[in-house]
């Protein structure tokens, strides 16, 4: 394609490609060390009750404080970690750190709330999944009631029975399970009945067109109605405006996550946010 567009384009295309290749190569070798060198950090994004606006949980979102490239968002290194077989150790670090942080907050008197941790498909498939979750809870002393695991629709494609078996076991221990990015994957609706989930997170791509695209609004309404029938709680992701919030509240969406309330925050700022918005009796 670029070749056909003429010599200059070909040159630019090639340099860009080389740059990407180099970035992947050097980031890849750095990533191995980053996990040991404590360069990963967790930000936390509040999840808010749609009616009371109190924080009911926080989602842990990993960032990489790279020594020369600065703070890198997960999109820059999670796919690389998956490719290089580093996602399991990375995910275990996230689990341990998220549980440690939430338990520390609970011990300084924060009202009980959940911390949500994203699981990659490879982590679910891996034989260490249950052990690493149990180890993170044990090491931190966090109650399983305070841990939520987020999975995406796509993990069910490979070995669905094995994955479902493990998740069912974790849920029986009191951990909450959420289906992340709902509506963007490949799973069929029939999986919703089979999967041991408590919550569904409506993807931002639907939420962003509230007030703009009637068909996105219909999909959200239908999803909410279905979840209410199935007894699933719904979290709306990527809520940025008062109009989106009002629409979701009117359609009985219970939990809101998005920039309208807060971006993902470093731990100290997240703690401040929770304390400022907590009901008085809890502080
Ligand atoms: P996700 O789990 O769907 O997380 C929500 C993403 O949406 C976060 O991006 C968050 O910052 C962003 N977001 C939240 N509210 C808004 C909003 O109102 N507007 C906009 N424009 N964006 C919003 P982030 O932190 O860059 O994470 C991206 C993805 O990286 C996550 O999507 C998740 O799939 C993955 N990820 C993050 N941390 C981890 C981790 O520890 N393990 C794994 N396996 N994946 C992770
Ligand atoms: Mg998530
Ligand atoms: Mg999501
Ligand atoms: Mg996502």
């Amino acid at each position: 394609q670029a070749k056909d567009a003429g010599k200059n384009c070909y040159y630019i295309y090639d340099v860009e490609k080389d740059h990407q290749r180099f970035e992947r190569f050097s980031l890849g070798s750095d990533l191995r060390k980053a996990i040991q060198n404590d360069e990963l950090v967790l930000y936390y994004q509040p999840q808010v009750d749609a009616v009371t606006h109190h924080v009911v949980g926080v989602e842990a979102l990993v960032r990489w404080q790279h020594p020369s490239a600065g703070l890198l968002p997960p999109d820059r290194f999670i796919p690389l970690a998956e490719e290089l077989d580093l996602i399991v150790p990375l995910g275990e670090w996230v689990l341990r750190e998220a549980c440690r942080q939430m338990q520390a907050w609970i011990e300084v008197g924060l009202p009980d709330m959940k911390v949500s941790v994203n699981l990659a498909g490879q982590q679910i498939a891996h034989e260490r999944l249950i052990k690493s979750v149990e180890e993170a809870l044990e090491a931190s002393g966090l109650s399983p009631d305070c841990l939520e695991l987020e999975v995406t629709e796509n993990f069910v494609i490979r070995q669905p029975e094995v994955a479902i078996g493990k998740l069912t076991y974790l849920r029986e221990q009191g951990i909450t399970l959420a289906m992340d990015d709902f509506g963007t994957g490949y799973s069929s609706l029939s999986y919703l009945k089979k999967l041991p989930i408590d919550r569904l997170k409506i993807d931002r791509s639907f939420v962003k067109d509230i007030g703009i695209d009637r068909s996105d609004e219909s999909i959200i309404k239908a999803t909410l109605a279905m979840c209410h029938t199935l007894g699933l709680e719904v979290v709306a992701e990527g809520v940025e405006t008062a109009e989106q919030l009002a629409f979701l509240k009117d359609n009985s969406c219970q939990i809101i996550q998005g920039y309208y309330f807060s971006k993902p925050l470093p731990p100290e700022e997240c703690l401040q946010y929770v304390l400022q918005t907590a009901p008085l009796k809890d502080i």
Side-chain angles (χ1 to χ4, degrees), residues 159-218:
Q159 291 194 297
E161 302 78 16
V162 178
I164 291 171
K166 290 185 198 178
L167 295 177
T168 304
Y169 175 82
L170 290 171
R171 188 163 177 247
E172 283 166 1
Q173 311 308 305
I175 293 164
T176 304
L177 293 181
M179 168 72 73
D180 203 358
D181 302 341
F182 181 74
T184 62
Y186 302 108
S187 80
S188 77
L189 286 180
S190 70
Y191 271 119
L192 270 190
K193 220 173 55 176
K194 292 187 200 143
L195 288 176
I197 54 169
D198 306 277
R199 279 185 177 171
L200 191 148
K201 300 186 76 175
I202 297 181
D203 192 69
R204 179 162 69 90
S205 55
F206 300 100
V207 172
K208 78 176 182 2
D209 285 339
I210 289 172
I212 298 165
D213 185 336
R214 292 297 291 273
S215 60
D216 280 307
E217 291 182 358
S218 302

Side-chain angles (χ1 to χ4, degrees), residues 199-272:
R199 279 185 177 171
L200 191 148
K201 300 186 76 175
I202 297 181
D203 192 69
R204 179 162 69 90
S205 55
F206 300 100
V207 172
K208 78 176 182 2
D209 285 339
I210 289 172
I212 298 165
D213 185 336
R214 292 297 291 273
S215 60
D216 280 307
E217 291 182 358
S218 302
I219 291 170
I220 292 175
K221 280 190 186 182
T223 304
L224 280 161
M226 177 184 69
C227 286
H228 294 147
T229 311
L230 292 172
L232 298 174
E233 265 189 319
V234 183
V235 182
E237 294 192 278
V239 177
E240 294 185 355
T241 68
E243 186 188 9
Q244 292 165 351
L245 174 64
F247 174 90
L248 291 159
K249 207 174 126 195
D250 287 348
N251 288 285
S252 306
C253 179
Q254 297 100 328
I255 302 168
I256 306 293
Q257 184 177 348
Y259 295 175
Y260 180 76
F261 287 106
S262 173
K263 290 193 171 183
L265 301 168
E268 315 72 48
E269 286 174 42
C270 182
L271 177 62
Q272 288 312 311

Side-chain angles (χ1 to χ4, degrees), residues 5-6 13 30 53-54 64 70 77 88 103 110 125 137-138 212 225 252:
Y13 177 74
D30 290 355
H53 296 189
H54 296 148
W64 178 6
F77 62 91
V88 169
Q103 181 61 23
L110 214 67
L137 289 173
E138 213 167 294
I212 298 165
S252 306

